[in-house]
Amino acid sequence: MAYHFLAITSSYSKGYRIGWNYSSEDTLDKAVIKRFLTKMKKRCGDVQFGIHKITTNSLSISSVKEKDMFFEDVVFTSDMDQFISLVASDQKLSALDISKFVLTMLPMSHIKLQKILYYTYAEFLKRTGEKLFKEPIVSYKYGPVVESVFREFTEHGALIIDYEEDENFVIVADDVATTPSFIKVISSEHGSTVIDCVMDTLQRYGDEKPFNLVDKTHRVGGPWQRVYEPSQNNIITDDLILQYHHFVK
């Protein structure tokens, strides 16, 4: 007889479920499970994951999958630290993660998306003192731009971006469909704060026309105006953003 303790969560960056398998031919050691839960809490905060206990005739993970088809598509590791590192890395948001969530809330053009992304970043920076995402914001002709997002959506030009979530990753809980981008954001380290910043930014600027937002980001003394040089794509630093947005509405 083999006893298995399984911790499972979805890796939204990889697009599949991952799991940690602790197994023993004897009774499961509560100290090992407690150490796992403590390390998860310390490294990842209040991350959501499922816990399962199952008995099989073997210590192998294949015996678990053979017994219950629910586990068939889960990629398991028996390395506690590897699993925790995977969960922690999935909590880090990219500018594209934020952009996809914004587009599920309000479809918009590429130029407008860049400005909403910039104002969301500034709001999060004001509230937490931390970066919303690691990619730099740079000064293009029409205002602040994150280049990875530019490359992803520039083909849409001035048209509304026709972004749709991949239905294969829609998660259903209590009969309510939840988009993968929302789950990715809310599962991040500051998930609820990020959601609040996005929603507050959309409430404030969502009805603005794209080039009205361009004009706002071009104001004299603003971060973009202070670093912009034609064709240079200079970085707009966090210090400049904080200095300006702490005092200017």
Side-chain angles (χ1 to χ4, degrees):
M1 182 74 70
Y3 302 87
H4 300 264
F5 176 92
L6 310 166
I8 298 173
T9 189
S10 293
S11 174
Y12 298 99
S13 61
K14 298 183 181 300
Y16 52 75
R17 293 189 298 160
I18 58 175
W20 176 60
N21 173 42
Y22 162 49
S23 57
S24 173
E25 291 180 340
D26 217 340
T27 304
L28 292 171
D29 189 341
K30 292 182 179 179
V32 174
I33 296 173
K34 183 178 180 179
R35 185 166 73 252
F36 166 74
L37 296 174
T38 300
K39 293 179 77 169
M40 277 288 291
K41 175 74 172 180
K42 183 177 180 180
R43 180 85 181 271
C44 304
D46 295 320
V47 66
Q48 300 297 312
F49 59 93
I51 291 177
H52 307 266
K53 293 181 180 180
I54 189 171
T55 57
T56 71
N57 58 6
S58 168
L59 293 175
S60 70
I61 196 61
S62 61
S63 69
V64 172
K65 295 185 177 186
E66 289 170 3
K67 184 168 184 176
D68 193 331
M69 294 289 288
F70 174 79
F71 304 107
E72 185 178 22
D73 66 340
V74 181
V75 177
F76 280 101
T77 177
S78 59
D79 188 321
M80 180 190 301
D81 291 328
Q82 181 185 37
F83 176 77
I84 293 173
S85 293
L86 286 171
V87 174
S89 65
D90 206 47
Q91 288 184 300
K92 296 177 182 178
L93 293 173
S94 70
L96 191 57
D97 292 328
I98 302 297
S99 299
K100 289 178 177 179
F101 175 60
V102 167
L103 290 171
T104 64
M105 300 302 296
L106 182 66
M108 62 187 68
S109 69
H110 180 225
I111 287 179
K112 183 170 180 175
L113 175 62
Q114 290 285 357
K115 305 306 164 279
I116 294 296
L117 191 60
Y118 166 75
Y119 281 120
T120 301
Y121 184 95
E123 185 63 28
F124 184 81
L125 188 62
K126 282 168 55 179
R127 296 189 192 188
T128 68
E130 297 185 26
K131 293 178 179 292
L132 177 56
F133 44 78
K134 65 180 181 180
E135 299 95 325
I137 298 175
V138 299
S139 54
Y140 273 34
K141 180 180 180 180
Y142 294 115
V145 163
V146 178
E147 293 182 302
S148 59
V149 176
F150 179 88
R151 290 190 294 270
E152 182 74 17
F153 295 115
T154 188
E155 65 182 28
H156 296 274
L159 300 176
I160 300 299
I161 297 170
D162 57 349
Y163 172 75
E164 294 183 3
E165 297 272 34
D166 187 336
E167 294 181 352
N168 291 327
F169 297 106
V170 172
I171 295 172
V172 179
D174 300 325
D175 296 324
V176 177
T178 306
T179 62
S181 59
F182 173 81
I183 296 297
K184 169 67 176 176
V185 172
I186 199 65
S187 300
S188 64
E189 184 178 2
H190 301 287
S192 59
T193 301
V194 177
I195 297 292
D196 286 344
C197 289
V198 170
M199 300 308 294
D200 289 350
T201 300
L202 288 176
Q203 183 175 15
R204 186 173 179 185
Y205 298 110
D207 292 334
E208 295 270 7
K209 295 187 180 301
F211 280 92
N212 287 345
L213 293 176
V214 170
D215 290 341
K216 289 179 185 295
T217 60
H218 281 203
R219 287 173 176 167
V220 175
W224 176 88
Q225 191 270 334
R226 291 180 64 180
V227 303
Y228 177 69
E229 297 177 85
S231 303
Q232 293 301 306
N233 300 348
N234 294 324
I235 292 176
I236 302 174
T237 66
D238 289 352
D239 286 343
L240 287 175
I241 293 172
L242 279 175
Q243 290 169 17
Y244 184 76
H245 288 282
H246 264 310
F247 300 102
V248 177
K249 301 298 183 181

